[in-house]
Amino acid sequence: MVDIGTLSLIVLLGMFALLAIGMPLGFASAFLAVVTLSLKFSPELLWGDFGRGPMSVLGQAVYRQMTNYVLISVPLFIFMAALLERSGIARDMYSSLNVWLSRVRGGIAVVTSIMAVIMAAMSGIIGGEVVLLGLIALPQMLRLGYNQNLAIGTICASGSLGTMIPPSIVLIFYGLVTETSIKALFTASFLPGFMLASFFLIYIVVRTQINPEMAPLPPEVPGEPMGGDKGLMFLGFMSRFTAWVAGVLFVRAVFFTVTGDNAIREGQDPIPLGMVSDIPWIVGTFVLCLILIFFVCGRDRTAKGWEMGKGLIAPTVVIGVVLGSIYGGITGITEAAGMGVIAVFVIGALRREMTFEIVWDSLIRTLRSTGTIIWVTIGAAALAAAYTLVGGPTYVANLIVGADLPTMGIILVMMFVFLIMGMFMDWVGIVLLIMPVFLPIVVRLPAEEIGFLGSVDARYIPIWFGVVFCMNMQVSFLSPPFGPAAFYLKSVAPAHISLTDIFKGFLPFIVLQLIALSVLLIWPPIVTLFL
């Protein structure tokens, strides 16, 4: 029987060795799970009592993960992302954003980042976003003479924002493994996710202003609206869209009032924008929009603005369906994912783009991606269960706590482990293997000592740690040697762009990600602000 220290070293070195020879992470984890139990227990105990011995723990752990209802949301979000990628919805969104920002220095890079944020809020998938942006934005930026490193870094860094911005699949898996509220995780990650996106946007704008040759302005198009005229068109577009939204909200609030569903009841949360007290505000918004349309922008400008910006309508509807149903208390995560798929399918059908070939190809892509995630989940769940059974988490916890480090010292050690593991391992494996070891340690740390400015309420420590973990995974998507974003982009990039070129373009954005991670560690209340 091998002691737990030696066993931990065998597992760690074995994982790196198996990954180095090319064994898939799921199979490597499952193999090491069996090895762990075989080295710890005698063959008689391990195999003698079939279905009741230590080996049965592996089957129970896998069954528990595979029968979790929320797991169904993963293939649904992947399917939705595949449909968005194949249909013209994403391309029209890019064209509409480009109309408004085409005359801004670095405007196409800014449009790419904004599009990535919108795509992240629709599906929470990373790989599809990088591929799609690589197909749409990269050729245009290179054609206009944009700096290659800026173009590459913008696409891959922005395309990985699906890790942080809800509905993030990384957050869903973290919630499943740690039994943390996924809705609370989504709420907590909003501000950090948009903070990171704003860091990218600020960097692009400042860098291109300081060095204009990095982002030449495109040639002027005859008849293109300029300056204040374009601004009034955009205001007219926003006013018309807001008027439509206000109209829908008014009908909804009246319906709830007539049926009595919005009556104030003790212990029941009010319906967001569906109470009687909300009706005057909704009507006021509608009237203000009409005033802007008819007396400020003018009907002609509003009509032109609508034509220029209508590509943004479909993505906004999808985001409203997915996130609105979650935060409105209408459905759970899984049902919201299903509603999002239906919304994308219906919009695509109305646009006459939802052909059999697109649906079939999207289903095949979903099957491949989900299969990879499921196999990793099975293997990692088995290894985590085996390592827990032999006392691994307790050993690691005692090792870290026994090092007599201050609270933030322990957390910084964990951050270093996440960053190193992220360079070599898929995020699914890290969630399933490392989180059951680290989270119990973090929960036991003094809450008042977490952070340098402010602290975290003890109730929210698992949520804060989950958001910090996701920010680490943001870095891992760009980290060499196995940063997956680089390989996603390489699959669609021109032949003259090498992997070395791609990783070189990542460097400024990795620094921005580390700055964002530092903000979460220094000022933890930014995560719990909306909870």
Side-chain angles (χ1 to χ4, degrees), residues 144-178:
L144 292 173
Y146 271 58
N147 178 273
Q148 180 175 287
N149 288 341
L150 177 66
I152 289 170
T154 299
I155 288 172
C156 291
S158 302
S160 64
L161 284 169
T163 306
M164 284 297 302
I165 296 176
S168 163
I169 287 184
V170 181
L171 286 171
I172 291 174
F173 261 86
Y174 175 87
L176 287 174
V177 173
T178 62

Side-chain angles (χ1 to χ4, degrees), residues 37 51-64 381-382 385-386 389:
L37 294 181
R52 295 184 180 181
M55 196 64 75
S56 65
V57 173
L58 305 187
Q60 294 169 10
V62 172
Y63 179 79
R64 188 165 54 249
L389 184 63

Side-chain angles (χ1 to χ4, degrees), residues 88-162:
I89 295 174
R91 284 179 172 79
D92 286 352
M93 176 175 63
Y94 183 84
S95 299
S96 292
L97 287 171
N98 198 30
V99 164
W100 303 116
L101 296 170
S102 59
R103 305 307 305 167
V104 177
R105 178 74 63 183
I108 298 177
V110 172
V111 165
T112 302
S113 290
I114 295 174
M115 180 178 173
V117 172
I118 298 173
M119 291 286 291
M122 283 194 284
S123 64
I125 305 297
I126 296 93
E129 285 184 40
V130 175
V131 170
L132 183 62
L133 294 172
L135 289 170
I136 297 176
L138 183 60
Q140 190 168 355
M141 283 195 274
L142 295 179
R143 178 177 59 83
L144 292 173
Y146 271 58
N147 178 273
Q148 180 175 287
N149 288 341
L150 177 66
I152 289 170
T154 299
I155 288 172
C156 291
S158 302
S160 64
L161 284 169

Side-chain angles (χ1 to χ4, degrees), residues 441-527:
I441 301 173
V442 176
V443 171
R444 294 207 306 266
L445 295 174
E448 64 276 5
E449 295 181 10
I450 294 178
F452 297 101
L453 300 174
S455 59
V456 185
D457 189 314
R459 297 172 298 167
Y460 298 142
I461 287 178
I463 297 171
W464 170 80
F465 196 64
V467 176
V468 170
F469 166 74
C470 279
M471 192 67 80
N472 272 280
M473 293 303 98
Q474 280 281 154
V475 182
S476 76
F477 276 101
L478 305 186
S479 299
F482 298 123
F487 296 92
Y488 289 135
L489 183 62
K490 178 59 181 170
S491 67
V492 295
H496 70 273
I497 298 180
S498 66
L499 274 174
T500 304
D501 295 330
I502 294 175
F503 280 121
K504 192 185 300 181
F506 288 171
L507 295 179
F509 293 90
I510 291 177
V511 173
L512 294 173
Q513 290 172 332
L514 292 174
I515 292 173
L517 176 61
S518 301
V519 172
L520 302 189
L521 296 174
I522 294 170
W523 187 45
I526 191 175
V527 175

Side-chain angles (χ1 to χ4, degrees), residues 2-59:
V2 181
D3 68 276
I4 185 61
T6 306
L7 199 56
S8 300
L9 188 62
I10 291 172
V11 170
L12 181 62
L13 296 178
M15 179 63 72
F16 281 113
L18 292 174
L19 293 178
I21 64 174
M23 180 179 286
L25 177 59
F27 297 143
S29 302
F31 174 74
L32 287 174
V34 177
V35 169
T36 299
L37 294 181
S38 300
L39 292 176
K40 184 66 176 178
F41 300 101
S42 63
E44 297 80 15
L45 181 62
L46 199 61
W47 305 105
D49 193 4
F50 182 77
R52 295 184 180 181
M55 196 64 75
S56 65
V57 173
L58 305 187

Side-chain angles (χ1 to χ4, degrees), residues 51-325:
R52 295 184 180 181
M55 196 64 75
S56 65
V57 173
L58 305 187
Q60 294 169 10
V62 172
Y63 179 79
R64 188 165 54 249
Q65 287 289 348
M66 292 299 100
T67 54
N68 196 314
Y69 180 63
V70 179
L71 190 64
I72 302 173
S73 65
V74 173
L76 289 173
F77 279 125
I78 294 174
F79 184 46
M80 181 167 63
L83 289 175
L84 286 168
E85 182 184 340
R86 291 299 311 277
S87 67
I89 295 174
R91 284 179 172 79
D92 286 352
M93 176 175 63
Y94 183 84
S95 299
S96 292
L97 287 171
N98 198 30
V99 164
W100 303 116
L101 296 170
S102 59
R103 305 307 305 167
V104 177
R105 178 74 63 183
I108 298 177
V110 172
V111 165
T112 302
S113 290
I114 295 174
M115 180 178 173
V117 172
I118 298 173
M119 291 286 291
M122 283 194 284
S123 64
I125 305 297
I126 296 93
E129 285 184 40
V130 175
V131 170
L132 183 62
L133 294 172
L135 289 170
I136 297 176
L138 183 60
Q140 190 168 355
M141 283 195 274
L142 295 179
R143 178 177 59 83
L144 292 173
Y146 271 58
N147 178 273
Q148 180 175 287
N149 288 341
L150 177 66
I152 289 170
T154 299
I155 288 172
C156 291
S158 302
S160 64
L161 284 169
T163 306
M164 284 297 302
I165 296 176
S168 163
I169 287 184
V170 181
L171 286 171
I172 291 174
F173 261 86
Y174 175 87
L176 287 174
V177 173
T178 62
E179 299 182 354
T180 305
S181 167
I182 297 175
K183 183 178 178 181
L185 286 168
F186 282 2
T187 304
S189 66
F190 254 116
L191 196 54
F194 285 104
M195 175 190 70
L196 180 59
S198 69
F199 284 0
F200 294 162
L201 291 171
I202 292 170
Y203 170 77
I204 292 168
V205 172
V206 172
R207 186 78 188 276
T208 53
Q209 290 295 327
I210 294 174
N211 197 355
E213 60 267 20
M214 293 187 71
L217 289 173
E220 292 185 15
V221 178
E224 180 184 10
M226 304 290 290
D229 198 36
K230 181 184 282 190
L232 287 174
M233 287 182 181
F234 182 72
L235 180 61
F237 163 74
M238 291 300 299
S239 300
R240 182 170 172 178
F241 179 66
T242 306
W244 276 102
V245 173
V248 172
L249 291 175
F250 175 76
V251 173
R252 174 174 171 267
V254 169
F255 172 78
F256 286 143
T257 303
V258 171
T259 59
D261 291 338
N262 60 359
I264 299 175
R265 297 181 179 89
E266 187 176 351
Q268 186 173 332
D269 292 334
I271 300 173
L273 298 177
M275 306 300 288
V276 175
S277 58
D278 295 324
I279 293 178
W281 294 100
I282 295 172
V283 172
T285 302
F286 183 79
V287 172
L288 177 62
C289 290
L290 292 182
I291 293 172
L292 291 173
I293 290 171
F294 287 99
F295 299 103
V296 178
C297 304
R299 295 180 64 180
D300 290 340
R301 282 199 190 95
T302 300
K304 291 178 182 177
W306 184 262
E307 285 298 314
M308 292 163 62
K310 63 183 180 181
L312 299 173
I313 303 301
T316 306
V317 170
V318 175
I319 293 172
V321 168
V322 176
L323 297 183
S325 58

